[in-house]
Amino acid sequence: MKKTVTLTFSDGSPSIELPIEQGTYGKPVIDIRTLGAHGYFTHDPGFTATSSCTSAITYIDGDEGLLCHRGYPIEELAYKSDFMEVSYLLLHGELPTADQKMAFEQSIRHHTLLHDQMENVFRGFRRSAHPMAVMIGVTGAMSAFYHDGMDNFNPKHREIVAHRLIAKVPTVAAWAFKFNEGQPFVYPQNRLSYAANFMHMMFSTPCEPYEPNPVLARALDRIFILHADHEQNASTSTVRLAGSSGANPYACIAGGMASLWGPLHGGANEAVLHMLDEMGDISRIPEFIARAKDKSSGFRLMGFGHRGDKNMDPGARIIRETGDEVLDELGRRDDPQFKIAMELERIAMDDEYFIERKLYPNVDFYSGIIFRAMGIPTSMFTAMFALARTAGWVAQWNEMLSDPAHKIGRPRQLYTGAACREFVPLDKRGA
Ligand code: CMC
């Protein structure tokens, strides 16, 4: 028998019975969709206890420290798969066969180049523009290049959009960096792997060719896997909400990037490095911990905590190990910032405040240290996150639109403003 819950009212109004749904895993959800007809809405700012959609892509059990994409644990994907395969998995629901993988990679390679006129879009920005501002602008501008003949309800069209975005966003990110640096844009080199191609576009110049280090390219590919999707976070929900109106998908992904940029979300990786720079020395860690615990300071330990993960995120654990590999490869174990980060992690993990609140270091805590060791500047960190998360965003957008019953997202509100009143003409208003 299906479980239900009954809402009873203290004023004796008739009670309401609501169905309870159980997914494959996770907490059961109370389906409140009929509540409106009874004259009530629910109130949950920040979506702390509200499921906004049905999804079969990613499952996170924060208490158990579990993260799975399409049923596959992240540990297996990170060590046994590659980013192209994971992108295919997120989009299609199954791991590809060898032929499917080859065809997918070929299609991604086919789309890496940007329309020649898009160079002009980059050149419209000021040189010092933050790479995320450029990425948001250029990705949004793609909607002007790929608008005609786009039918959101045609699965083939959606597939082309997904491939274009996964293929072009690394070019956009690398060019945002090149534009900052005042260096010429470097075209994609399709003989290279996805991660190695990105490194090539970032680091080669017309006068100095760059051969991507395979150990670093593999580590970067794994970091991309670890950032690929994290179910209904702020940026993914932004993409879904924007896309629910039938909006142009490139504009929707630009919206997701805008949401990701915030320091409480993907912008945290940049904020972590600024925090470590500001600390400067291990001796200052206690001062920063004390500030983070003092609510009136408005300061948080960046790279700690997560809405969904109340245990150490397995992705964070893997990225920490990947950091070890990268620093060993580069001979940078003695990096002072790395030492500060490790000591900060140790002290925070031993502190009652962080233990009680289950505030563990998250992926953003470690990624910045690795990116910096690889020669990627701090301002590019969130762009790296956006590049990888594009795979998750397009998969979630595609999933939503492939359900013919999907509705436009339209939250309700608890209005607390003025009651209706009469307009007062300007000459009758008090001083
Ligand atoms: N430093 C100090 N205190 C914290 C921190 C932190 N980083 N994070 C949470 N808290 C405290 C918070 O003050 C609150 O304390 P109390 O119960 O005494 O009022 C308690 O922990 C719960 O915090 P919350 O704000 O209700 O938790 P949330 O689920 O709404 O926020 C978060 C999650 C990620 C926004 C938050 O932990 C945070 O601001 N972390 C720092 C920024 C960060 O690293 N963000 C990256 C998130 S992971 C990757 C991604 O999704 O982009």
Side-chain angles (χ1 to χ4, degrees):
M1 201 180 73
K2 203 158 190 176
K3 239 167 117 178
T4 59
V5 63
T6 305
L7 266 185
T8 56
F9 298 88
S10 53
D11 66 357
S13 307
S15 58
I16 303 169
E17 191 164 83
L18 298 166
I20 296 182
E21 302 291 341
Q22 178 63 62
T24 315
Y25 298 118
K27 292 187 174 67
V29 301
I30 301 169
D31 185 341
I32 53 120
R33 279 176 291 183
T34 56
L35 261 188
H38 291 278
Y40 291 93
F41 294 139
T42 55
H43 184 58
D44 181 21
F47 297 102
T48 56
T50 297
S51 134
S52 62
C53 63
T54 302
S55 182
I57 300 177
T58 294
Y59 175 68
I60 301 173
D61 185 331
D63 295 327
E64 294 297 321
L66 189 70
L67 165 61
C68 295
H69 296 314
R70 302 286 193 182
Y72 295 102
I74 190 70
E75 291 85 348
E76 301 236 359
L77 295 173
Y79 289 110
K80 297 182 182 164
S81 184
D82 60 47
F83 183 68
M84 281 294 90
E85 196 163 74
V86 171
S87 301
Y88 182 99
L89 175 70
L90 292 171
L91 261 176
H92 296 282
E94 294 297 336
L95 288 167
T97 61
D99 284 350
Q100 287 167 335
K101 188 173 184 217
M102 201 165 69
F104 180 70
E105 287 185 354
Q106 242 162 26
S107 174
I108 299 300
R109 286 199 174 102
H110 176 72
H111 287 292
T112 50
L113 208 56
L114 300 181
H115 189 289
D116 196 46
Q117 263 180 285
M118 287 186 80
E119 276 205 35
N120 300 335
V121 182
F122 282 89
R123 295 194 196 285
F125 286 90
R126 61 187 289 174
R127 277 282 170 210
S128 57
H130 192 284
M132 278 305 286
V134 177
M135 276 188 86
I136 293 165
V138 174
T139 307
M142 280 167 72
S143 58
F145 287 83
Y146 307 107
H147 190 69
D148 294 343
M150 166 68 215
D151 174 5
N152 277 350
F153 297 102
N154 181 330
K156 198 69 210 156
H157 287 197
R158 288 203 303 272
E159 186 174 274
I160 295 170
V161 166
H163 290 199
R164 270 200 194 123
L165 277 158
I166 293 171
K168 291 185 197 303
V169 165
T171 314
V172 173
W175 284 21
F177 167 68
K178 286 295 192 193
F179 185 69
N180 260 189
E181 293 290 290
Q183 291 181 6
F185 298 129
V186 174
Y187 289 114
Q189 194 48 264
N190 289 344
R191 72 183 159 82
L192 296 169
S193 72
Y194 190 82
N197 183 37
F198 176 71
M199 291 166 83
H200 154 76
M201 288 189 286
M202 284 283 290
F203 300 123
S204 55
T205 64
C207 33
E208 252 181 88
Y210 169 88
E211 241 348 281
N213 172 329
V215 176
L216 300 188
R218 176 69 194 121
L220 190 58
D221 189 83
R222 190 182 301 143
I223 293 171
F224 289 162
I225 294 175
L226 298 174
H227 285 88
D229 195 56
H230 218 229
E231 52 117 305
Q232 309 310 320
N233 49 78
S235 57
T236 303
S237 298
T238 302
V239 170
R240 278 187 179 258
L241 198 56
S244 72
S245 70
N248 179 286
Y250 303 97
C252 296
I253 300 300
M257 288 177 177
S259 168
L260 185 80
W261 193 7
L264 298 188
H265 193 5
N269 54 14
E270 184 176 338
V272 168
L273 262 282
H274 288 312
M275 179 183 76
L276 295 177
D277 281 343
E278 199 192 329
M279 268 181 201
D281 191 79
I282 284 177
S283 62
R284 292 193 67 201
I285 293 175
E287 177 198 325
F288 278 73
I289 299 247
R291 257 173 76 197
K293 286 159 46 172
D294 172 9
K295 304 277 179 223
S296 66
S297 73
F299 172 76
R300 286 187 166 199
L301 217 50
M302 299 316 286
F304 279 77
H306 193 278
R307 169 68 59 79
D309 294 318
K310 299 305 170 196
N311 198 329
M312 180 118 169
D313 170 10
R317 208 171 291 132
I318 301 167
I319 211 165
R320 193 182 192 281
E321 286 169 18
T322 306
D324 288 343
E325 279 171 36
V326 168
L327 294 171
D328 282 343
E329 175 67 17
L330 295 170
R332 294 190 57 174
R333 272 287 181 166
D334 285 336
D335 183 289
Q337 217 154 28
F338 179 65
K339 286 191 170 159
I340 299 175
M342 291 307 103
E343 187 59 7
L344 174 61
E345 179 200 85
R346 193 191 64 75
I347 295 177
M349 289 299 75
D350 219 25
D351 189 294
E352 221 21 65
Y353 175 95
F354 291 88
I355 296 169
E356 242 175 47
R357 291 168 180 75
K358 300 184 174 165
L359 299 171
Y360 294 89
N362 53 47
V363 168
D364 292 324
F365 183 70
Y366 303 104
S367 61
I369 296 166
I370 310 176
F371 290 149
R372 191 177 268 190
M374 286 178 164
I376 296 165
T378 313
S379 62
M380 275 296 291
F381 292 177
T382 311
M384 305 292 292
F385 193 155
L387 182 170
R389 184 55 59 86
T390 297
W393 288 331
V394 292
Q396 300 267 353
W397 168 82
N398 182 52
E399 180 182 63
M400 176 182 68
L401 292 180
S402 54
D403 174 4
H406 90 269
K407 278 180 171 295
I408 185 168
R410 201 334 183 155
R412 302 293 183 166
Q413 65 168 6
L414 177 62
Y415 176 70
T416 57
C420 273
R421 47 190 168 162
E422 239 177 69
F423 180 79
V424 183
L426 186 61
D427 59 352
K428 300 265 168 20
R429 290 176 217 158

